[in-house]
Amino acid sequence: MPRLRLAALAACLLLAGCGGPNLLPQPDLMTSPVILDEAAAAAAISRYRASHGLGPVAIDPSLVRAASLQAAANARAGYLSHEVGGTFDGRLRRAGFGGRYAAENLSAGSTTFEEVLKRWQASPEHNRNMLMPQVRRVGIARVDAPGSRYKRFWALILSDS
C-alpha cells in the first residue's frame, strides 16, 4: 500500500512539473479598444525625434492593427508580455512587415498618450526604440481592461518599412 501511495504522489508531481504554468487558467478579461488620435501621437513622437536630430514618423495602418492586437492580447491576459500575442517577429511578418529595423514598446496603467510617452522617454530601452534613426513608420494602440490591475494597456510598434 505505501508503494501505491508513493507511485501516485510521484505521478502527480510529474504531471504538475510537465504542465508548468499552463495548468493554471489564463485570465480572459473583458476588454475595449480605445480610439486614439494616431496622427497626434505620431506628431508627438516626431517632435521628440526632431529634438534629437532625427526624422519624423508616419502612422501605418498595418502597424496600428498589429499594435492593437498586441495591446488586446496583453489586456485580456492582464499583464505585459511581448510574447503573449506571439513572437514579435512573427506578428510583424503577419502584418506584412519585413524590415530590418523594428521595435515594440509596451506599457500599462497610463491614462493618456502624453503620460505613456513620458514613461517611454524615461525608460532607457523604450527611449532607445523611439530614437532608432531608421524608424519611419509607427502604429499605436490602447486597449482597456477595467477588471485588470493596470486598467489600460498600450502598444507602440516602430519600423523602418
Side-chain angles (χ1 to χ4, degrees), residues 8-70:
L9 178 60
C12 286
L13 290 174
L14 275 174
L15 287 175
C18 290
N22 293 333
L23 287 178
L24 299 174
Q26 293 292 321
D28 192 13
L29 300 170
M30 296 291 292
T31 63
S32 61
V34 174
I35 297 172
L36 298 176
D37 186 343
E38 296 152 356
I45 294 168
S46 292
R47 282 191 303 275
Y48 181 62
R49 288 174 54 83
S51 74
H52 288 83
L54 299 170
V57 295
I59 287 292
D60 184 288
S62 294
L63 289 178
V64 170
R65 280 191 299 280
S68 296
L69 290 172
Q70 188 61 14

Side-chain angles (χ1 to χ4, degrees), residues 60 63 92 97-103 132-138 157-161:
D60 184 288
L63 289 178
L92 279 183
F97 284 86
R100 290 183 15 187
Y101 299 94
M132 285 174 43
Q134 300 85 356
V135 165
R136 299 287 178 261
R137 299 174 182 272
V138 296
I157 300 178
L158 309 105
S159 179
D160 65 334
S161 64

Side-chain angles (χ1 to χ4, degrees), residues 82-104:
H82 290 281
E83 304 297 318
V84 74
T87 67
F88 181 58
D89 290 340
R91 290 185 284 111
L92 279 183
R93 278 193 302 278
R94 285 192 300 277
F97 284 86
R100 290 183 15 187
Y101 299 94
E104 176 176 73

